[in-house]
DNA sequence: TTTATCTGATCCAATATTGAGCCATTGATA
DNA sequence: TATCAATGGCTCAATATTGGATCAGATAAA
């Protein structure tokens, strides 16, 4: 049995960390416990942990403990918490990345039935007479395109965006930006997206969606 | 056995909540009961419950009790739950949309200090000798690029992706795909991204990042 | 030998837990 | 209506845990 040195212990610790051992709440056991578990003195364990600290695997807090710097599952809720402060401008920027891609995916992957659902949402939105109804079916149109993108992660990101868009700052903005003229513009732009999807043309679908989102951004943010 | 601290208890509580334990009335037992059940002081249990309150899992009412905030199941927490099942393939697809954009934003928006931080992460990753250290600074390289993209929403989406990448299916995959040769390829690809950032060249930064992600995808998913 | 490292021990400072008590609100009961 | 038990909100002093730091000796390798 080779003598245990601090650097060996450090790599052993890394192994246990990357095996997901302490990922639960991101806290690793106290130095004193680790030392006795590995059968070394606390000083040695301290040096070992220092290696992890040096390469940023871990941060230490007096009186609290030693914590993994890698984010842990429990912090997902914190992330979505912070997301609630997302500015409309930032989100529109990302929508312009994701939605054209979603449209492109949909053009290649969607089933006929799914495309029918998209068309249906578009139809109702066009025929709607009041702002809340239009708002709802407009959102549904976009949602159904994501729904047939065949990428679960993309769909969930869009769900996040939908939720965020239902919050206070957006509501005001949408109310301000609504007008009959704009609604008809949105409808014809949606039509172009829908046509491209029905033609199974990813490239055009992507472009049409991007063009539409540029319009929305202009209206929403007033640029 | 790790000493029970408040945050541990919080995660234990979350586990019991998500296992449907107290779903019936949407009410969880009184602090005093929980404290004695977990064998901690009420103050500690109060702190634990406060964690749940902070991330919105629970609401407290003086004199009435503590209740689950279940009436909003279609919201964020549900999204988070579904996201945990994201497949690596789906996520890689989205990374290839977002990260080139992040690199492009970074090329135009990053401060000199931020770019220095990116370079630093790159340097340490290149010099690292073992897989966990490389892994960590590789992730940090990407993270720091997002950090200077100046888009809060984009940053938070990346945080979500980081968390998901720390879960089980990814671990196995990364372990399988790691090799000295691949590491050096990653390093030279990172170098090209970094160079483009330092040249303040959004277009090249985006392309270099996309090329890198294609490599990663090939290695990870074996295509 | 010299050098580096580990050991075992002790003290310190920051933080957390404990145990106890008191208050305000609530809802049920007399 | 008045009372009362249950519950969360809050404070406080004592104790325990934990990382930070240092030192003298033991051990092993060069």
């Amino acid at each position: 049995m080779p003598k245990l040195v601090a650097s060996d212990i450090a790599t052993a610790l890394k192994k246990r960390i990357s095996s997901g051992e302490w990922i639960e709440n991101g806290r690793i056991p106290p130095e004193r416990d680790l030392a006795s578990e590995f059968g070394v003195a606390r000083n040695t364990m301290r040096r070992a942990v220092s290696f992890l600290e040096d390469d940023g695997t871990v941060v230490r807090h007096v009186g609290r403990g030693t914590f993994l710097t890698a984010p842990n599952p429990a912090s997902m809720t914190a992330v979505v918490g912070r997301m609630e402060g997302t500015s409309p401008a930032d989100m529109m920027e990302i929508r312009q990345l994701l939605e054209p891609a979603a449209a492109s995916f949909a053009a290649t992957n969607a089933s006929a039935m799914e495309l029918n659902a998209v068309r249906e949402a578009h139809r109702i939105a066009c025929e709607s007479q009041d702002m809340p109804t239009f708002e709802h079916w407009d959102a549904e149109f976009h949602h159904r395109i994501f729904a047939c993108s065949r990428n679960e992660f993309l769909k969930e990101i869009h769900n996040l965006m939908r939720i965020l868009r239902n919050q206070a700052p957006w509501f005001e903005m949408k109310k301000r930006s609504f007008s009959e003229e704009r609604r008809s513009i949105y409808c014809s732009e949606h039509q172009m997206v829908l046509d491209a999807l029905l033609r199974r043309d990813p490239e055009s679908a992507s472009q049409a969606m991007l063009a539409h989102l540029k319009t929305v951004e202009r209206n929403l943010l007033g640029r």
Side-chain angles (χ1 to χ4, degrees), chain A residues 50-97:
Chain A
S50 297
F51 283 113
L52 304 200
E53 191 181 24
D54 288 343
D55 66 30
T57 309
V58 114
V59 276
R60 310 206 256 195
H61 295 289
V62 181
R64 303 206 313 127
T66 302
F67 300 84
L68 301 180
T69 55
N72 55 311
S75 59
M76 283 183 83
T77 50
V79 172
V80 297
R82 286 198 299 275
M83 275 189 177
E84 299 195 357
T86 296
S87 81
D90 282 359
M91 193 194 295
M92 283 308 299
E93 203 162 45
I94 305 309
R95 274 187 81 182
Q96 290 177 32
L97 290 174

Side-chain angles (χ1 to χ4, degrees), chain A residues 131-220:
Chain A
M131 132 86 162
T133 306
F134 171 73
E135 192 58 58
H136 175 265
W137 287 101
D138 173 42
E140 194 63 22
F141 174 80
H142 288 271
H143 179 63
R144 290 183 180 181
I145 290 176
F146 275 92
C148 47
S149 71
R150 292 284 186 283
N151 184 309
E152 295 303 318
F153 187 60
L154 187 55
K155 281 155 71 172
E156 294 307 337
I157 292 181
H158 183 241
N159 278 331
L160 277 179
M161 295 197 291
R162 287 178 87 194
I163 295 170
L164 294 172
R165 277 203 307 259
N166 275 325
Q167 311 213 344
W170 287 89
F171 205 68
E172 285 311 307
M173 209 171 289
K174 284 186 291 194
K175 220 180 322 186
R176 273 209 323 274
S177 80
F178 183 80
S179 76
E180 187 48 43
E181 182 203 354
R182 284 175 177 175
R183 198 194 66 132
S184 84
I185 293 176
Y186 287 3
C187 274
S188 65
E189 288 177 347
H190 281 189
Q191 185 69 54
M192 296 188 60
V193 174
L194 180 59
D195 288 345
L197 291 180
L198 293 171
R199 285 200 317 275
R200 302 293 188 172
D201 180 345
E203 187 54 35
S204 314
S206 170
Q207 282 175 11
M209 181 61 88
L210 182 58
H212 172 50
L213 291 174
K214 295 271 185 211
T215 307
V216 174
E217 182 179 39
R218 248 192 328 272
N219 288 341
L220 229 47

